[in-house]
């Protein structure tokens, strides 16, 4: 009974790990006295191989985790660079808007001054025209005075 259980257990392990059974099975093996030791040795070897694969898998997972952590750190660094670049762009835009506002105010001031200058130029032109007109009238008055004053001399 014990041998059958051991053989079933052994076959179950082989089926679970899809490991081929040795060619020598059942009664041929049972006739040899050291078959149980060989069976245990084989199972130990399979177990060692399984644990070796597990260890290798864990090492690969560890390496993958390290790479993921490194990638995450790189993404973090890139995010910080993007944030800094975004802040620089924001500051640059604020400076441009401030300069634009100053230019708009200066343009308004220049436009107002130009309007004021145009008004002043018009006033100068009107005053000059009035002076020319008054000069003409003054000449007329002077001529009349000279003519009338000349009457008193003779």
């Amino acid at each position: 009974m014990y041998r059958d259980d051991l053989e079933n257990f052994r076959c179950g392990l082989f089926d679970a790990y899809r490991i081929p059974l040795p060619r020598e099975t059942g009664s041929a093996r049972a006739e040899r006295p050291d078959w149980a030791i060989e069976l245990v040795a084989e199972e130990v070897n399979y177990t060692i191989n399984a644990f070796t694969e597990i260890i290798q898998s864990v090492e690969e997972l560890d390496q993958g985790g390290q790479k993921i952590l490194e990638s995450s750190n790189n993404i973090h660094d890139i995010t910080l660079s993007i944030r800094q670049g975004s802040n620089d762009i924001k500051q640059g835009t604020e400076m441009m808007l401030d300069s634009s506002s100053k230019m708009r105010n200066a343009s308004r001031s220049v436009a107002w001054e130009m309007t004021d200058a145009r008004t002043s130029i018009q006033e100068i032109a009107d005053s000059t025209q009035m002076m020319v007109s008054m000069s003409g009238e003054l000449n007329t008055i002077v001529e009349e005075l000279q003519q009338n004053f000349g009457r008193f001399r003779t």
Side-chain angles (χ1 to χ4, degrees):
M1 181 74 172
Y2 178 74
R3 284 187 186 169
D4 290 336
D5 289 341
L6 192 57
E7 188 66 24
N8 286 337
F9 174 74
R10 183 176 157 277
C11 290
L13 281 177
F14 282 99
D15 289 342
Y17 292 106
R18 303 200 188 284
I19 302 170
L21 288 171
R23 294 177 196 244
E24 187 179 3
T25 59
S27 62
R29 194 172 234 196
E31 292 175 5
R32 295 190 0 224
D34 58 348
W35 74 270
I37 294 173
E38 286 179 15
L39 180 65
V40 170
E42 286 176 12
E43 294 302 324
V44 168
N45 284 336
Y46 292 131
T47 304
I48 289 172
N49 290 340
F51 277 107
T52 301
E53 287 182 28
I54 290 171
I55 290 169
Q56 289 173 348
S57 296
V58 169
E59 288 173 353
E60 288 175 6
L61 286 171
D62 184 50
Q63 291 172 356
Q66 291 295 328
K67 288 182 180 181
I68 289 172
L69 179 62
E70 182 181 329
S71 297
S72 177
N73 288 336
N74 289 339
I75 289 171
H76 177 72
D77 292 344
I78 290 169
T79 302
L80 290 178
S81 295
I82 289 172
R83 182 178 294 142
Q84 181 60 42
S86 177
N87 286 336
D88 292 346
I89 289 171
K90 179 184 172 197
Q91 289 175 351
T93 303
E94 288 172 350
M95 290 171 52
M96 287 173 54
L97 288 173
D98 184 51
S99 296
S100 176
S101 177
K102 287 177 182 178
M103 286 175 54
R104 185 177 54 248
N105 291 339
S107 295
R108 286 180 182 160
S109 178
V110 166
W112 185 81
E113 293 294 329
M114 291 299 289
T115 303
D116 190 41
R118 184 176 42 226
T119 302
S120 297
I121 290 171
Q122 186 63 43
E123 288 175 0
I124 291 172
D126 291 345
S127 296
T128 303
Q129 185 66 32
M130 191 167 58
M131 286 175 56
V132 167
S133 175
M134 291 176 133
S135 176
E137 288 178 21
L138 186 61
N139 281 339
T140 305
I141 293 172
V142 169
E143 285 176 10
E144 285 178 12
L145 282 175
Q146 284 176 348
Q147 288 173 358
N148 290 331
F149 188 70
R151 282 188 207 165
F152 294 115
R153 276 190 193 179
T154 44

